[in-house]
């Protein structure tokens, strides 16, 4: 006769390992078969406490327009217009404008701030482009930079707006 306090015979360890493997495999196939992978990835990030951010646009081409030291005016703004006109024919792209100031002596005359001068240059370039027919919704002004006196305008691939509306 067996003692009622004896534990029941244990199942072999490999059986538990096989069950875990089978569940992992089922979960893997569910992830593979997901139809909306972006929504799935967003849900997984949110579930684990991650921050869901819009990916940065992919830079494709750029043009640099110089400015005189200490001034927010652009030396040759006409090249911005031709660059924007040819670049924005594709509805999947946008323009990213970064104003910059050279390190030594290239500062805003009123405040003495290089960052403020760089921001003014970016805003001047954006205002010029908008005044010459570029849609404001396709322009983004980025944080000011350093290194040269002028404005860097980058053409970036931001995706198909028709597909973004469908999501």
């Amino acid at each position: 006769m067996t003692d009622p306090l004896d534990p029941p015979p244990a199942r072999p360890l490999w059986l538990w390992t096989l069950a875990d493997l089978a569940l992992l495999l089922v979960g893997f196939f569910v992830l593979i078969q997901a139809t909306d992978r972006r929504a799935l990835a967003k849900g997984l990030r949110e579930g684990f406490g991650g921050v869901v951010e819009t990916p940065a646009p992919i830079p494709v081409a750029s043009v640099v327009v110089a400015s005189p030291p200490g001034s927010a005016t652009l030396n040759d703004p006409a090249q911005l217009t031709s660059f924007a006109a040819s670049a924005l024919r594709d509805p999947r792209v946008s323009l990213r404008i970064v104003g910059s100031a050279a390190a030594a002596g290239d500062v805003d005359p009123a405040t003495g701030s290089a960052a403020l001068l760089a921001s003014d240059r970016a805003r001047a370039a954006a205002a010029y482009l908008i005044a010459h027919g570029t849609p404001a919704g396709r322009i983004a002004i980025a944080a000011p930079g350093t290194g040269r006196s002028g404005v860097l305008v980058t053409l970036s691939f931001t995706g198909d707006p028709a597909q973004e509306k469908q999501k």
Side-chain angles (χ1 to χ4, degrees), residues 35-94:
T35 55
D36 190 0
R37 292 191 176 132
R38 288 182 190 225
L40 178 66
K42 180 181 174 190
L44 286 172
R45 272 191 224 101
E46 287 174 350
F48 286 105
V51 178
V52 178
E53 296 177 358
T54 305
I58 302 167
V60 178
S62 62
V63 65
V64 176
V65 179
S67 292
S71 173
T73 60
L74 304 172
N75 286 344
D76 186 16
Q79 66 179 338
L80 282 179
T81 310
S82 61
F83 177 75
S86 65
L88 294 177
R89 287 186 195 130
D90 188 349
R92 302 172 299 169
V93 299
S94 64

Side-chain angles (χ1 to χ4, degrees), residues 1-163:
M1 183 156 184
T2 61
D3 187 6
L5 297 177
D6 284 342
R11 293 192 173 98
L13 184 59
W14 65 266
L15 187 61
W16 291 109
T17 307
L18 182 65
D20 290 339
L21 180 64
L23 286 174
L24 285 172
L25 202 56
V26 167
F28 177 69
F29 286 129
V30 167
L31 289 176
I32 288 176
Q33 293 298 321
T35 55
D36 190 0
R37 292 191 176 132
R38 288 182 190 225
L40 178 66
K42 180 181 174 190
L44 286 172
R45 272 191 224 101
E46 287 174 350
F48 286 105
V51 178
V52 178
E53 296 177 358
T54 305
I58 302 167
V60 178
S62 62
V63 65
V64 176
V65 179
S67 292
S71 173
T73 60
L74 304 172
N75 286 344
D76 186 16
Q79 66 179 338
L80 282 179
T81 310
S82 61
F83 177 75
S86 65
L88 294 177
R89 287 186 195 130
D90 188 349
R92 302 172 299 169
V93 299
S94 64
L95 298 177
R96 182 174 176 259
I97 302 174
V98 178
S100 60
D106 194 18
V107 294
D108 182 51
T111 62
S113 170
L116 186 59
L117 178 62
S119 296
D120 288 344
R121 287 176 176 161
R123 287 190 312 216
Y128 181 84
L129 286 171
I130 291 169
H132 287 83
T134 302
R138 297 184 65 190
I139 296 175
I141 297 178
T146 57
R148 64 173 67 139
S149 304
V151 175
L152 172 68
V153 180
T154 307
L155 169 71
S156 300
F157 179 78
T158 52
D160 191 358
Q163 287 182 352

